[in-house]
Amino acid sequence: MRPAVLALAAAGLASAGCSSPGASSCPGTAVAAFHLDGTLASAAQLAGDPTTAALDPVPALPDCTPDASSPIQYPPALALDATLAQDPAGSGAALCRTNGVVYSGERTGASSYLVSAQADPAVLCSGACAATLEVVIAGDVAVDAGGAPAAFRGILVEVLTASHGACDACLPLVPGVDPPARACAGRYALTGAVR
């Protein structure tokens, strides 16, 4: 598996089902535009940061990259620019990338958000396995002394789930699931500043 193929969040999730040309058409009212930096982190590493670990939308899924010999590899870091927007009359929210990708979801608290986007199936194990891919971003906006958005802290998780083919060599079994299922997560701890 080529790392660039799987790390679609870093590359832009260009195949996600969104047609907007950029952040200027982001639905809702803009909260802030952020530059976000992500650091690849295992579930065990995230456990050392309870605030970020609590945001993990799939804590039971094993890591896609348990070690350097894993067939799935992610880059150690990613960076993205995005505008966070919310529905002023409801709980809807969107995170809109400058390349046109829109993650849709909801405001889950006064300053907390959960958004996601799905992409075309990823092909793993030299074409022997097809997996669905969903990218989920969850986090909190911190405000400055005047109440203006100042920073973002959260998590980006790429969820791969076997859809068909021979995925035994690519995706680990999900522990404690009956019937057996193969899926994993690539996790990035996110920090961001208003740009």
Side-chain angles (χ1 to χ4, degrees), residues 6 58 60-66 70 72 74 124 131-134 157-162 170-174 181-187:
L6 192 57
V58 288
L61 287 188
D63 294 321
C64 290
T65 55
S70 171
I72 300 171
Y74 287 92
L124 310 174
T132 60
L133 172 64
E134 180 180 24
V157 181
E158 287 191 5
V159 180
L160 282 167
T161 305
C170 302
L171 298 174
L173 282 169
V174 178
R182 293 193 174 272
C184 64
R187 298 170 172 92

Side-chain angles (χ1 to χ4, degrees), residues 3-174:
V5 173
L6 192 57
L8 293 174
L13 196 70
S15 60
C18 56
S19 58
S20 61
S24 62
S25 61
C26 197
T29 302
V31 174
F34 292 100
H35 174 77
L36 300 171
D37 291 302
T39 304
L40 187 64
S42 67
Q45 289 169 323
L46 287 177
D49 179 1
T51 302
T52 304
L55 296 171
D56 189 345
V58 288
L61 287 188
D63 294 321
C64 290
T65 55
D67 55 53
S69 66
S70 171
I72 300 171
Q73 294 294 314
Y74 287 92
L78 60 82
L80 54 110
D81 291 326
T83 297
L84 179 64
Q86 65 187 32
D87 177 354
S91 62
L95 185 75
C96 305
R97 299 277 306 274
T98 54
N99 65 0
V101 175
V102 177
Y103 302 87
S104 300
E106 63 183 348
R107 188 174 58 235
T108 57
S111 61
S112 301
Y113 299 86
L114 176 68
V115 295
S116 65
Q118 294 192 351
D120 292 334
V123 178
L124 310 174
C125 294
S126 301
C129 169
T132 60
L133 172 64
E134 180 180 24
V135 178
V136 182
I137 298 173
D140 300 305
V141 175
V143 297
D144 62 19
F152 182 90
R153 183 174 179 196
I155 188 170
L156 181 151
V157 181
E158 287 191 5
V159 180
L160 282 167
T161 305
S163 60
H164 63 274
C167 296
D168 295 13
C170 302
L171 298 174
L173 282 169
V174 178

